[in-house]
Amino acid sequence: MAKTAKKPETKSEKPTGKKLPTKKVKQRRQVKKGPHGGTMVVLVNDLVHVGKQGDLVEVKPGYARNYLLPYGRAVIPTIENLRTLEQYKIKVQKAREAKVADLKVLAEQLSRLPAVTIEANATEEGHLYGSIGPTEISKTLKGKNLLVEIDMVKLENHIKEANTLTEVPLSLGYGIEAKIQVLVVALQSGAKK
C-alpha cells in the first residue's frame, strides 16, 4: 500500500479555526528569587537582623538552604503559602500583642522587686572566687518565678566583689527595658572547729 503524502500548507490558505491543544508543561517547585538574586522565604519565628515572624524576606541561598529551611525557621513561599500569609500575619500580630503584654507585666514585676540577693564564695577581703554574670542573675530570677533568659541580661562587666549593690539593665524584647538591683553577699561558711 502506498502512503499518501500531505499537501504542504501555503501562506495563502486560511486557518481552519481549530485550536490545537496546548502541551502541558510540568512546573518545578522552584524557590522564588528576590530582586538581588537571593532566596525569598517566609519567616516562622522572629530572627534578629533578618525579620519578624510572618515576613517575606530575601536571604542568601546558602543561609536559607542550610539553616532556615532545615531547622524550620522559615518556609518556602508557595502560591498556597502566599494566599494564607495575610491570615497568618493576623494570628502573628495577635500572638505578638499577647507576648508584649506579658513582657510589660514582667517588667512591672521586676520594677517592684527590691533587690535580688546572690550568695557567692568570697575571700575575707571581699573578692569573689568566681564572678557573677548573666547566667547567675537569670537563674536567681527564674528561682523567683520571673522568666528572664540569659540573653535578656545586659550586664557590661561581671560582678567580682562581694557586698556590692549593682544596677543591672534588662532588655526583655520588643523595646521593653527594665532595671534591677543585684546585691552580692559573701557566702557564710560554717563555724571552724
Side-chain angles (χ1 to χ4, degrees), residues 106-187:
L106 179 63
E108 179 65 30
Q109 290 173 344
L110 289 169
S111 67
R112 286 188 273 134
L113 196 65
V116 178
T117 305
I118 299 176
E119 291 184 346
N121 290 327
T123 62
E124 292 178 9
E125 293 86 31
H127 298 292
L128 296 180
Y129 285 114
S131 64
I132 304 297
T135 307
E136 292 81 12
I137 295 170
S138 173
K139 187 184 286 186
T140 303
L141 289 172
K142 282 182 181 177
K144 296 180 184 248
N145 291 329
L146 298 170
L147 299 176
V148 175
E149 299 298 325
I150 296 170
D151 58 341
M152 294 178 180
V153 179
K154 302 298 179 190
L155 188 63
E156 286 185 22
N157 299 319
H158 288 250
I159 303 170
K160 298 180 181 182
E161 297 291 324
N163 302 322
T164 57
L165 185 65
T166 308
E167 186 175 32
V168 177
L170 302 174
S171 176
L172 303 177
Y174 298 102
I176 300 172
E177 306 285 328
K179 291 186 178 182
I180 59 169
Q181 298 288 331
V182 176
L183 176 64
V184 179
V185 179
L187 190 63

Coordinates of all heavy atoms in Angstrom, one line a residue, residues 106-187:
L106 N 5.9 41.5 83.2 CA 7.1 41.0 83.7 C 8.0 42.2 84.1 O 8.6 42.3 85.2 CB 7.9 40.2 82.7 CG 9.3 39.7 83.2 CD1 9.2 38.8 84.4 CD2 9.9 38.9 82.0
A107 N 8.0 43.3 83.3 CA 8.8 44.5 83.6 C 8.2 45.2 84.8 O 9.0 45.7 85.7 CB 8.8 45.5 82.4
E108 N 6.9 45.2 85.0 CA 6.3 45.8 86.2 C 6.7 45.0 87.4 O 7.0 45.5 88.5 CB 4.8 45.8 86.0 CG 4.0 46.3 87.2 CD 4.3 47.8 87.4 OE1 4.6 48.5 86.4 OE2 4.2 48.2 88.6
Q109 N 6.7 43.6 87.3 CA 7.1 42.8 88.4 C 8.5 43.0 88.8 O 8.9 43.1 90.0 CB 6.9 41.3 88.1 CG 5.4 40.9 88.0 CD 5.2 39.5 87.6 OE1 6.2 38.9 87.0 NE2 4.0 38.9 87.8
L110 N 9.4 43.2 87.8 CA 10.8 43.4 88.1 C 11.1 44.8 88.7 O 11.9 44.9 89.5 CB 11.6 43.3 86.8 CG 11.7 41.9 86.2 CD1 12.3 41.9 84.8 CD2 12.6 41.0 87.1
S111 N 10.3 45.8 88.3 CA 10.5 47.1 88.9 C 10.0 47.1 90.4 O 10.5 47.9 91.1 CB 9.7 48.2 88.1 OG 8.3 48.0 88.2
R112 N 9.1 46.3 90.7 CA 8.6 46.3 92.1 C 9.5 45.4 93.0 O 9.4 45.5 94.2 CB 7.2 45.7 92.2 CG 6.1 46.7 91.7 CD 4.7 46.2 92.0 NE 4.3 45.4 90.8 CZ 3.7 44.2 90.9 NH1 3.5 43.7 92.1 NH2 3.4 43.6 89.8
L113 N 10.4 44.7 92.4 CA 11.3 43.8 93.1 C 12.4 44.7 93.8 O 13.0 45.5 93.2 CB 12.0 42.8 92.1 CG 12.7 41.6 92.7 CD1 11.7 40.7 93.4 CD2 13.4 40.9 91.6
P114 N 12.6 44.5 95.2 CA 13.5 45.4 95.8 C 15.0 45.2 95.4 O 15.5 46.0 94.7 CB 13.3 45.1 97.3 CG 12.6 43.8 97.4 CD 11.9 43.6 96.1
A115 N 15.6 44.1 95.7 CA 16.9 43.8 95.3 C 17.1 42.3 95.3 O 16.6 41.6 96.2 CB 18.0 44.4 96.3
V116 N 17.7 41.8 94.3 CA 18.0 40.4 94.2 C 19.3 40.1 94.9 O 20.3 40.7 94.6 CB 18.1 40.0 92.7 CG1 18.4 38.5 92.5 CG2 16.8 40.4 92.0
T117 N 19.2 39.1 95.8 CA 20.4 38.8 96.6 C 21.0 37.5 96.1 O 20.3 36.5 95.9 CB 20.1 38.6 98.1 OG1 19.4 39.8 98.5 CG2 21.3 38.3 98.9
I118 N 22.3 37.5 95.8 CA 23.0 36.3 95.3 C 24.2 36.1 96.2 O 25.0 37.0 96.5 CB 23.5 36.6 93.9 CG1 22.4 36.8 92.9 CG2 24.3 35.4 93.4 CD1 22.8 37.1 91.5
E119 N 24.2 34.9 96.7 CA 25.3 34.5 97.6 C 26.4 33.8 96.8 O 26.1 33.0 95.9 CB 24.8 33.5 98.7 CG 23.9 34.1 99.7 CD 23.5 33.2 100.8 OE1 23.8 32.0 100.7 OE2 23.0 33.7 101.8
A120 N 27.7 34.1 97.1 CA 28.8 33.6 96.4 C 30.0 33.4 97.3 O 30.1 34.1 98.3 CB 29.2 34.5 95.2
N121 N 30.9 32.5 97.0 CA 32.1 32.3 97.8 C 33.0 33.5 97.6 O 33.2 33.9 96.4 CB 32.8 31.0 97.4 CG 32.0 29.8 97.8 OD1 31.4 29.8 98.8 ND2 32.1 28.7 97.0
A122 N 33.6 34.0 98.7 CA 34.5 35.1 98.6 C 35.6 35.0 99.6 O 35.5 34.3 100.6 CB 33.7 36.4 98.8
T123 N 36.6 35.8 99.4 CA 37.8 35.8 100.3 C 37.4 36.7 101.5 O 36.3 37.4 101.4 CB 39.0 36.4 99.7 OG1 38.8 37.7 99.2 CG2 39.4 35.5 98.5
E124 N 38.2 36.8 102.5 CA 37.9 37.7 103.6 C 37.9 39.2 103.2 O 37.3 40.0 103.8 CB 38.9 37.4 104.7 CG 38.8 36.1 105.4 CD 39.8 35.8 106.4 OE1 40.6 36.7 106.8 OE2 39.9 34.7 106.9
E125 N 38.7 39.5 102.2 CA 38.7 40.9 101.7 C 37.5 41.2 100.9 O 37.3 42.4 100.5 CB 40.0 41.1 100.9 CG 41.3 41.0 101.6 CD 41.8 39.6 101.7 OE1 41.5 38.8 100.8 OE2 42.4 39.3 102.7
G126 N 36.7 40.3 100.5 CA 35.5 40.5 99.7 C 35.6 40.3 98.2 O 34.7 40.6 97.5
H127 N 36.7 39.7 97.8 CA 36.9 39.3 96.3 C 36.2 38.0 96.1 O 36.4 37.0 96.9 CB 38.4 39.3 95.9 CG 39.1 40.6 96.1 ND1 38.8 41.7 95.3 CD2 40.1 40.9 97.0 CE1 39.6 42.7 95.7 NE2 40.4 42.3 96.7
L128 N 35.4 37.9 95.1 CA 34.7 36.6 94.7 C 35.7 35.6 94.1 O 36.6 36.0 93.4 CB 33.6 36.9 93.8 CG 32.4 37.7 94.3 CD1 31.4 37.9 93.2 CD2 31.8 37.1 95.5
Y129 N 35.5 34.4 94.4 CA 36.4 33.3 93.8 C 36.1 33.2 92.3 O 36.9 32.9 91.5 CB 36.2 32.0 94.5 CG 36.9 31.9 95.8 CD1 36.2 31.8 97.0 CD2 38.3 32.0 95.9 CE1 36.9 31.8 98.2 CE2 39.0 32.0 97.1 CZ 38.2 31.9 98.3 OH 38.9 31.8 99.5
G130 N 34.9 33.4 91.9 CA 34.5 33.4 90.5 C 33.9 34.8 90.2 O 34.5 35.8 90.7
S131 N 32.9 34.9 89.5 CA 32.2 36.1 89.2 C 30.7 35.9 89.0 O 30.3 34.8 88.7 CB 32.8 36.9 88.0 OG 32.6 36.1 86.9
I132 N 30.0 36.9 89.2 CA 28.5 36.9 88.9 C 28.2 37.5 87.6 O 28.6 38.6 87.3 CB 27.7 37.6 90.0 CG1 28.1 37.1 91.4 CG2 26.3 37.5 89.8 CD1 27.7 35.6 91.7
G133 N 27.6 36.7 86.7 CA 27.3 37.1 85.3 C 25.9 36.9 85.0 O 25.0 36.7 85.9
P134 N 25.5 37.1 83.8 CA 24.1 37.0 83.3 C 23.5 35.6 83.7 O 22.3 35.5 84.0 CB 24.2 37.2 81.8 CG 25.4 38.0 81.6 CD 26.4 37.5 82.7
T135 N 24.3 34.5 83.6 CA 23.8 33.2 83.9 C 23.3 33.1 85.4 O 22.2 32.6 85.6 CB 24.9 32.1 83.7 OG1 25.4 32.3 82.4 CG2 24.3 30.7 83.9
E136 N 24.1 33.6 86.3 CA 23.7 33.5 87.7 C 22.5 34.4 88.0 O 21.6 34.1 88.8 CB 24.8 33.9 88.6 CG 26.0 32.9 88.6 CD 26.9 33.1 87.4 OE1 26.8 34.1 86.7 OE2 27.7 32.1 87.2
I137 N 22.4 35.6 87.4 CA 21.3 36.5 87.6 C 20.0 35.9 87.0 O 19.0 36.0 87.7 CB 21.6 37.9 87.0 CG1 22.8 38.5 87.7 CG2 20.4 38.8 87.0 CD1 23.4 39.8 87.0
S138 N 20.1 35.3 85.9 CA 19.0 34.7 85.2 C 18.5 33.5 86.1 O 17.3 33.4 86.3 CB 19.3 34.2 83.8 OG 18.2 33.5 83.3
K139 N 19.4 32.7 86.6 CA 19.0 31.6 87.4 C 18.3 32.0 88.7 O 17.3 31.4 89.1 CB 20.2 30.7 87.7 CG 19.9 29.4 88.4 CD 21.2 28.7 88.8 CE 21.9 28.1 87.6 NZ 23.0 27.2 88.0
T140 N 18.8 33.1 89.3 CA 18.2 33.6 90.5 C 16.8 34.1 90.3 O 15.9 33.9 91.1 CB 19.1 34.7 91.1 OG1 20.4 34.2 91.4 CG2 18.5 35.2 92.5
L141 N 16.6 34.9 89.2 CA 15.3 35.4 88.8 C 14.3 34.3 88.5 O 13.1 34.4 88.8 CB 15.4 36.4 87.7 CG 16.1 37.7 88.1 CD1 16.4 38.6 86.8 CD2 15.3 38.5 89.1
K142 N 14.8 33.3 87.8 CA 13.9 32.1 87.5 C 13.5 31.4 88.8 O 12.4 30.9 88.8 CB 14.6 31.2 86.5 CG 14.6 31.7 85.1 CD 15.2 30.7 84.2 CE 15.2 31.2 82.8 NZ 15.9 30.3 81.8
G143 N 14.4 31.4 89.8 CA 14.0 30.8 91.1 C 12.9 31.6 91.8 O 12.2 31.1 92.6
K144 N 12.7 32.9 91.4 CA 11.6 33.7 91.9 C 10.4 33.7 91.0 O 9.6 34.6 91.1 CB 12.1 35.1 92.2 CG 13.2 35.1 93.3 CD 13.7 36.6 93.5 CE 14.8 36.5 94.5 NZ 14.5 37.1 95.7
N145 N 10.4 32.8 90.0 CA 9.3 32.7 89.0 C 9.2 33.9 88.1 O 8.1 34.3 87.7 CB 7.9 32.4 89.7 CG 7.9 31.0 90.3 OD1 8.5 30.1 89.8 ND2 7.1 30.8 91.3
L146 N 10.3 34.5 87.8 CA 10.4 35.6 86.9 C 11.2 35.1 85.7 O 12.4 34.9 85.8 CB 11.1 36.8 87.5 CG 10.3 37.4 88.7 CD1 11.2 38.5 89.4 CD2 9.0 38.0 88.3
L147 N 10.5 34.9 84.6 CA 11.2 34.2 83.4 C 12.1 35.2 82.6 O 11.6 35.8 81.7 CB 10.1 33.6 82.5 CG 9.3 32.5 83.2 CD1 8.2 32.0 82.2 CD2 10.1 31.4 83.6
V148 N 13.3 35.4 83.1 CA 14.3 36.2 82.5 C 15.4 35.3 81.9 O 16.0 34.6 82.7 CB 14.8 37.2 83.4 CG1 15.9 38.1 82.8 CG2 13.7 38.2 84.0
E149 N 15.5 35.3 80.6 CA 16.5 34.5 80.0 C 17.9 35.1 80.1 O 18.0 36.3 80.3 CB 16.2 34.3 78.5 CG 14.9 33.6 78.3 CD 14.8 32.2 78.9 OE1 15.9 31.5 78.8 OE2 13.8 31.8 79.4
I150 N 18.9 34.4 79.8 CA 20.3 34.8 79.9 C 20.6 36.0 79.0 O 21.2 37.0 79.3 CB 21.3 33.7 79.7 CG1 21.1 32.6 80.7 CG2 22.7 34.2 79.6 CD1 21.9 31.3 80.5
D151 N 20.1 35.9 77.7 CA 20.3 36.9 76.7 C 19.6 38.2 77.0 O 19.9 39.2 76.4 CB 20.0 36.4 75.3 CG 18.6 36.0 75.2 OD1 17.9 35.7 76.2 OD2 18.1 35.9 74.0
M152 N 18.7 38.2 78.0 CA 17.9 39.4 78.3 C 18.7 40.3 79.3 O 18.5 41.5 79.4 CB 16.6 39.1 79.0 CG 15.6 38.5 78.1 SD 14.1 38.1 79.0 CE 13.1 37.3 77.7
V153 N 19.7 39.7 80.0 CA 20.5 40.4 81.0 C 21.6 41.1 80.3 O 22.5 40.5 79.6 CB 21.1 39.4 82.1 CG1 21.9 40.2 83.1 CG2 20.0 38.7 82.7
K154 N 21.7 42.4 80.3 CA 22.7 43.2 79.6 C 23.7 43.8 80.6 O 23.8 45.0 80.8 CB 22.0 44.4 78.9 CG 21.0 43.9 77.9 CD 21.6 43.1 76.8 CE 20.5 42.6 75.8 NZ 21.0 41.6 74.9
L155 N 24.5 42.9 81.2 CA 25.5 43.3 82.2 C 26.8 43.6 81.5 O 27.3 42.8 80.7 CB 25.7 42.1 83.2 CG 26.6 42.3 84.4 CD1 26.0 43.4 85.3 CD2 26.7 41.0 85.1
E156 N 27.3 44.8 81.7 CA 28.5 45.2 81.0 C 29.7 44.4 81.5 O 30.5 43.9 80.7 CB 28.8 46.7 81.2 CG 27.9 47.6 80.4 CD 28.2 49.1 80.6 OE1 29.4 49.4 80.9 OE2 27.3 49.9 80.4
N157 N 30.0 44.4 82.8 CA 31.1 43.7 83.3 C 30.6 42.7 84.4 O 29.7 43.1 85.1 CB 32.2 44.6 83.9 CG 32.7 45.5 82.9 OD1 33.0 45.1 81.8 ND2 32.9 46.8 83.3
H158 N 31.2 41.6 84.5 CA 30.8 40.6 85.6 C 31.1 41.3 86.9 O 32.0 42.0 87.1 CB 31.6 39.3 85.4 CG 31.1 38.5 84.3 ND1 30.4 37.4 84.4 CD2 31.2 38.7 82.9 CE1 30.2 36.8 83.2 NE2 30.6 37.6 82.3
I159 N 30.3 40.9 87.9 CA 30.5 41.4 89.3 C 31.5 40.5 90.0 O 31.3 39.3 90.0 CB 29.1 41.4 90.0 CG1 28.1 42.2 89.3 CG2 29.3 41.9 91.5 CD1 26.7 42.0 89.8
K160 N 32.6 41.1 90.5 CA 33.7 40.4 91.1 C 33.9 40.7 92.5 O 34.8 40.2 93.1 CB 35.0 40.6 90.3 CG 34.8 40.2 88.8 CD 36.1 40.4 88.1 CE 35.9 39.9 86.6 NZ 37.1 40.1 85.8
E161 N 33.1 41.6 93.1 CA 33.3 42.0 94.5 C 32.0 41.6 95.3 O 30.9 41.8 94.8 CB 33.5 43.5 94.6 CG 34.8 44.0 94.0 CD 36.0 43.5 94.7 OE1 36.0 43.5 95.9 OE2 37.0 43.2 94.0
A162 N 32.2 41.1 96.5 CA 31.1 40.8 97.4 C 30.7 42.1 98.1 O 31.4 43.1 98.1 CB 31.6 39.8 98.4
N163 N 29.5 42.1 98.7 CA 28.9 43.2 99.4 C 28.7 44.4 98.5 O 29.0 45.5 99.0 CB 29.6 43.5 100.7 CG 29.7 42.3 101.6 OD1 28.7 41.5 101.7 ND2 30.8 42.0 102.2
T164 N 28.4 44.2 97.3 CA 28.2 45.4 96.4 C 26.7 45.3 95.8 O 26.2 44.3 95.6 CB 29.1 45.3 95.2 OG1 28.9 44.1 94.5 CG2 30.5 45.4 95.6
L165 N 26.2 46.5 95.6 CA 24.8 46.6 95.1 C 25.0 47.2 93.7 O 25.6 48.3 93.5 CB 24.0 47.6 95.9 CG 22.5 47.7 95.5 CD1 21.8 46.4 95.7 CD2 21.8 48.8 96.3
T166 N 24.6 46.4 92.7 CA 24.8 46.8 91.3 C 23.5 46.9 90.6 O 22.6 46.1 90.7 CB 25.7 45.8 90.6 OG1 26.9 45.5 91.3 CG2 26.1 46.2 89.2
E167 N 23.4 48.0 89.7 CA 22.2 48.1 88.9 C 22.4 47.4 87.6 O 23.4 47.7 86.9 CB 21.8 49.6 88.7 CG 20.5 49.8 88.0 CD 20.2 51.3 87.9 OE1 21.1 52.1 87.8 OE2 19.0 51.6 87.9
V168 N 21.5 46.5 87.3 CA 21.7 45.7 86.1 C 20.5 46.0 85.1 O 19.3 45.8 85.5 CB 21.7 44.1 86.4 CG1 21.8 43.3 85.2 CG2 22.8 43.8 87.4
P169 N 20.8 46.4 83.9 CA 19.7 46.6 82.9 C 19.3 45.3 82.3 O 20.1 44.4 82.0 CB 20.4 47.6 81.9 CG 21.8 47.3 82.0 CD 22.1 46.9 83.4
L170 N 18.0 45.2 82.0 CA 17.5 44.1 81.3 C 16.8 44.5 80.0 O 16.0 45.5 80.1 CB 16.4 43.4 82.2 CG 16.9 42.9 83.6 CD1 15.8 42.3 84.4 CD2 18.0 41.8 83.4
S171 N 17.0 43.8 79.0 CA 16.3 44.1 77.7 C 15.4 42.9 77.4 O 15.8 41.8 77.0 CB 17.3 44.3 76.5 OG 16.6 44.4 75.3
L172 N 14.1 43.1 77.7 CA 13.1 41.9 77.7 C 12.7 41.6 76.2 O 12.1 40.6 76.0 CB 11.9 42.2 78.5 CG 12.3 42.5 80.0 CD1 11.0 42.9 80.8 CD2 13.0 41.4 80.7
G173 N 12.9 42.5 75.3 CA 12.5 42.3 73.9 C 11.4 43.3 73.6 O 10.7 43.8 74.4
Y174 N 11.2 43.5 72.2 CA 10.2 44.4 71.7 C 10.3 45.8 72.3 O 9.3 46.5 72.5 CB 8.7 43.9 72.0 CG 8.5 42.5 71.3 CD1 8.5 41.4 72.0 CD2 8.2 42.5 69.9 CE1 8.3 40.1 71.4 CE2 8.0 41.3 69.3 CZ 8.0 40.1 70.0 OH 7.8 38.9 69.4
G175 N 11.5 46.2 72.6 CA 11.8 47.5 73.1 C 11.4 47.8 74.6 O 11.4 48.9 75.0
I176 N 11.2 46.7 75.3 CA 10.8 46.8 76.7 C 12.1 46.6 77.6 O 12.7 45.6 77.5 CB 9.7 45.8 77.1 CG1 8.5 46.0 76.3 CG2 9.4 45.8 78.6 CD1 7.4 44.9 76.4
E177 N 12.3 47.7 78.4 CA 13.5 47.7 79.2 C 13.1 47.6 80.7 O 12.1 48.1 81.0 CB 14.4 48.9 78.9 CG 14.7 49.1 77.5 CD 15.8 48.2 77.0 OE1 16.7 47.9 77.8 OE2 15.8 47.8 75.8
A178 N 14.0 47.1 81.5 CA 13.8 47.1 83.0 C 15.2 47.2 83.6 O 16.2 46.9 83.0 CB 13.0 45.9 83.4
K179 N 15.2 47.6 84.9 CA 16.4 47.6 85.7 C 16.1 46.9 87.0 O 15.1 47.1 87.6 CB 16.9 49.0 85.9 CG 17.4 49.6 84.6 CD 18.0 51.0 84.9 CE 18.5 51.5 83.6 NZ 19.2 52.8 83.7
I180 N 17.1 46.2 87.5 CA 17.0 45.5 88.8 C 18.3 45.8 89.6 O 19.3 46.2 89.0 CB 16.8 44.0 88.7 CG1 18.0 43.3 87.9 CG2 15.5 43.7 88.1 CD1 17.9 41.8 88.0
Q181 N 18.2 45.7 90.9 CA 19.3 45.9 91.8 C 19.8 44.5 92.2 O 19.0 43.6 92.6 CB 19.0 46.7 93.0 CG 18.5 48.1 92.7 CD 19.6 49.0 92.3 OE1 20.8 48.8 92.7 NE2 19.3 49.9 91.5
V182 N 21.1 44.2 92.0 CA 21.7 42.9 92.4 C 22.6 43.1 93.5 O 23.6 43.9 93.4 CB 22.4 42.2 91.2 CG1 23.0 40.9 91.6 CG2 21.4 42.0 90.1
L183 N 22.4 42.4 94.7 CA 23.2 42.5 95.8 C 24.0 41.2 95.9 O 23.4 40.1 96.0 CB 22.4 42.8 97.1 CG 23.2 42.8 98.4 CD1 24.2 43.9 98.4 CD2 22.2 42.8 99.6
V184 N 25.3 41.3 95.9 CA 26.2 40.1 96.0 C 26.7 40.0 97.4 O 27.3 41.0 97.9 CB 27.3 40.1 95.0 CG1 28.2 38.9 95.2 CG2 26.8 40.2 93.6
V185 N 26.4 38.9 98.1 CA 26.7 38.7 99.5 C 27.7 37.5 99.6 O 27.5 36.5 98.9 CB 25.5 38.4 100.4 CG1 25.8 38.2 101.8 CG2 24.5 39.6 100.2
A186 N 28.7 37.7 100.5 CA 29.7 36.6 100.7 C 29.0 35.5 101.4 O 28.2 35.7 102.3 CB 30.9 37.1 101.5
L187 N 29.2 34.3 100.9 CA 28.6 33.1 101.5 C 29.2 32.8 102.9 O 30.4 32.9 103.1 CB 28.9 31.9 100.6 CG 28.2 30.6 100.9 CD1 26.7 30.8 100.7 CD2 28.7 29.5 99.9

